[in-house]
Amino acid sequence: MSNPAKPRILTGLQPSGTLHIGNYFAALAPQVALSRTDADVFLMVADYHALTSVREGALMRTYIFDLVRDYLAAGIDPERVTLFRQSDNQDHMELAWVFQCLVSVKFLELAHAYKDKVAKGLEATAGLFNYPMLMAADIVLYDVDLVPVGEDQRQHVEYAREAVSKFNLAYGQILKEPKEVIEKSVGVVPGTDGKKMSKSYKNTIPAFGTREEIEKAVLSIVTDSSGDRPEHVFAIHKVLYEQTGRDLSALDALYDEHKGKYKALKDALTADLDAFITPMREKRAGITDTDIKTILASGAEKARTVSNQTLERVRNAIGISL
Ligand code: ADP
Ligand code: TRP
């Protein structure tokens, strides 16, 4: 069991693409802040979940290394945090199956994320459908108190609670019900076309891109020729200022000073983004694949030590340990 004086927290991200600045500000940065509190933090690379959308082995491998590198570059200290990969611990698969035998198809059919992803064109595989039960296992295996997630993942934590309550009803008070903590919204970070920045819309600015990549993305920001202020350039610039605690009146002054000069304003945004990203990009470049494998191996070992105990309780309760 976790130490009651120290809340245990678990969250994670899927290695399903190159992180953009929307992911950085909404998900990565809050997780880094959390990892610096005195909570007992578990951070998971949800690679089995990513299998619902990534169908190329080489790409999956790249995304896994990338995500761990991103976490480390953004400031995660693997000495303080249990940073591990879902597929390194098969306990997740086993508990997910147990949960799937307890919740109904009707209940899973109500999941917003499933409906949204299918509506966006993702194939309605059995994996995508059962996704919430794997996520429930991810959480419940670690006797987790709190699960910090974005609003889009709130229902999945509710599903984890439901799985626990079905289990405990059948077998006794064995598992702990987790609670979601909805991260203070940074709002929707707009993309280069003014819509929500998303890898599915190809309107992203990479969170750890080279100066050239940042510049290319910024130059592609859609501007209409009327008006003094390039609205979409300003919107992204504003997010950067807000999230890095800079004075917004200085930004207003900059846009007033360069009224109608869209190129100069795009150059200013490129320079500001690059200055923000450069230290992380440099840190990222120094992290080798071997470092990553070592960190993940040690994280997996710590994770298994905890999850094995929970699974032991489950196996005893369901009657498969003879
Ligand atoms: P994408 O839409 O690019 O596929 P994901 O769905 O993988 O991004 O999101 C991972 C995390 O980043 C989630 O917590 C999500 O809420 C957050 N996120 C993604 N895009 C944005 C955005 N444009 N603004 C704010 N948060 C975002
Ligand atoms: N479903 C989450 C997402 O797409 C990732 C995830 C998988 C997760 N397992 C988790 C988040 C457990 C928190 C806890 O963002």
Side-chain angles (χ1 to χ4, degrees):
M1 285 274 171
S2 54
N3 174 355
K6 225 179 173 190
R8 180 166 291 155
I9 291 181
L10 179 141
T11 190
L13 282 171
Q14 295 186 48
S16 55
T18 304
L19 291 191
H20 52 70
I21 59 169
N23 303 136
Y24 178 83
F25 289 123
L28 209 53
Q31 291 180 13
V32 172
L34 194 76
S35 76
R36 294 179 175 154
T37 65
D38 68 354
D40 182 13
V41 177
F42 284 63
L43 267 188
M44 189 187 74
V45 175
D47 52 356
Y48 276 145
H49 275 123
L51 208 51
T52 57
S53 65
V54 182
R55 281 265 171 94
E56 208 185 299
L59 207 55
M60 175 69 91
R61 209 166 282 119
T62 304
Y63 289 157
I64 292 168
F65 279 113
D66 277 355
L67 181 55
V68 178
R69 220 172 240 119
D70 295 346
Y71 266 134
L72 298 171
I76 292 295
D77 175 359
E79 298 290 320
R80 289 186 64 146
V81 170
T82 306
L83 177 59
F84 74 106
R85 189 165 67 115
Q86 192 178 34
S87 65
D88 278 332
N89 185 357
Q90 293 309 312
D91 291 354
H92 294 242
M93 289 293 130
E94 189 170 338
L95 186 58
W97 176 254
V98 175
F99 285 158
Q100 284 170 63
C101 295
L102 286 164
V103 304
S104 71
V105 166
K106 267 210 164 61
F107 176 65
L108 289 174
E109 274 171 352
L110 300 175
H112 310 309
Y114 172 72
K115 290 191 277 189
D116 290 352
K117 285 183 177 171
V118 173
K120 272 191 183 165
L122 208 60
E123 193 185 342
T125 60
L128 192 63
F129 187 67
N130 288 321
Y131 183 115
M133 290 304 101
L134 178 56
M135 183 155 160
D138 299 339
I139 298 167
V140 174
L141 276 172
Y142 299 95
D143 284 330
V144 163
D145 300 292
L146 303 171
V147 186
V149 282
E151 184 59 45
D152 58 327
Q153 297 292 319
R154 178 198 291 273
Q155 195 191 29
H156 283 155
V157 185
E158 290 167 4
Y159 271 47
R161 254 198 318 273
E162 176 68 14
V164 168
S165 98
K166 282 260 160 66
F167 185 95
N168 287 348
L169 194 66
Y171 299 108
Q173 287 299 313
I174 311 278
L175 298 175
K176 186 167 193 167
E177 285 194 13
K179 269 204 188 64
E180 65 277 20
V181 182
I182 305 302
E183 281 150 2
K184 191 166 79 50
S185 174
V186 304
V188 172
V189 178
T192 54
D193 54 1
K195 283 198 291 187
K196 172 186 184 273
M197 187 175 287
S198 169
K199 60 179 175 291
S200 347
Y201 303 147
K202 307 210 178 325
N203 62 356
T204 60
I205 299 178
F208 301 95
T210 60
R211 178 161 184 125
E212 293 68 36
E213 286 163 342
I214 298 165
E215 184 166 38
K216 187 166 168 237
V218 169
L219 289 176
S220 79
I221 299 176
V222 178
T223 48
D224 68 30
S225 44
S226 64
D228 291 335
R229 223 174 232 198
E231 205 189 322
H232 302 327
V233 182
F234 181 76
I236 296 172
H237 221 152
K238 185 161 167 249
V239 170
L240 180 65
Y241 264 58
E242 280 168 349
Q243 294 303 317
T244 54
R246 288 176 71 174
D247 179 9
L248 279 178
S249 59
L251 187 66
D252 268 325
L254 178 78
Y255 277 70
D256 286 344
E257 190 189 327
H258 292 89
K259 255 186 203 155
K261 296 186 191 136
Y262 291 5
K263 177 68 171 57
L265 290 167
K266 283 185 170 180
D267 287 347
L269 175 57
T270 299
D272 283 346
L273 281 168
D274 189 49
F276 176 67
I277 290 170
T278 296
M280 293 191 287
R281 192 175 56 221
E282 283 172 356
K283 182 161 179 204
R284 205 177 175 282
I287 303 165
T288 66
D289 285 2
T290 308
D291 297 336
I292 291 174
K293 287 189 197 170
T294 309
I295 288 167
L296 287 179
S298 134
E301 208 177 303
K302 284 197 247 165
R304 280 192 297 259
T305 309
V306 179
S307 69
N308 284 175
Q309 293 179 28
T310 312
L311 199 58
E312 208 39 51
R313 303 202 306 270
V314 169
R315 293 171 139 222
N316 270 321
I318 65 177
I320 62 167
S321 53
L322 301 180

